[in-house]
Amino acid sequence: MTRADQQRLFEDLVGQLHRMTSADREVFLALQRRNKDDEDLDAPSASRLERLHATYKPPKSKKDLENIWKKIISGPIKS
């Protein structure tokens, strides 16, 4: 994992701290401390970071994004 990829994953997950379980939050904070110390993550730590990212920031499919966009442009629902 490159340093840029690692940084992007951390930036994505910072906003998800409130959703994490206490165990996942502890793992993330420990990894974040290592990142702030400019350490490169070893393979097991990198895989934990990727697992956290997949769990709390799953990729959106194009169809999901199109549905969200349709809801936004349709405006408020009138009764």
Side-chain angles (χ1 to χ4, degrees), residues 2-56:
T2 64
R3 181 80 174 144
D5 292 337
Q6 180 178 320
Q7 191 63 33
R8 181 185 52 82
L9 293 177
F10 278 110
E11 288 173 1
D12 283 350
L13 287 173
V14 166
Q16 303 299 320
L17 275 172
H18 66 281
R19 293 181 52 213
M20 292 183 187
T21 63
S22 61
D24 286 345
R25 188 178 307 115
E26 290 299 320
V27 168
F28 175 73
L29 293 175
L31 292 172
Q32 191 175 33
R33 282 191 294 273
R34 288 180 62 187
N35 184 52
K36 286 182 180 177
D37 292 338
D38 289 330
E39 287 185 41
D40 288 332
L41 297 179
D42 55 351
S45 298
S47 66
R48 276 189 235 127
L49 180 62
E50 289 171 345
R51 181 188 57 82
L52 287 171
H53 191 268
T55 302
Y56 294 104

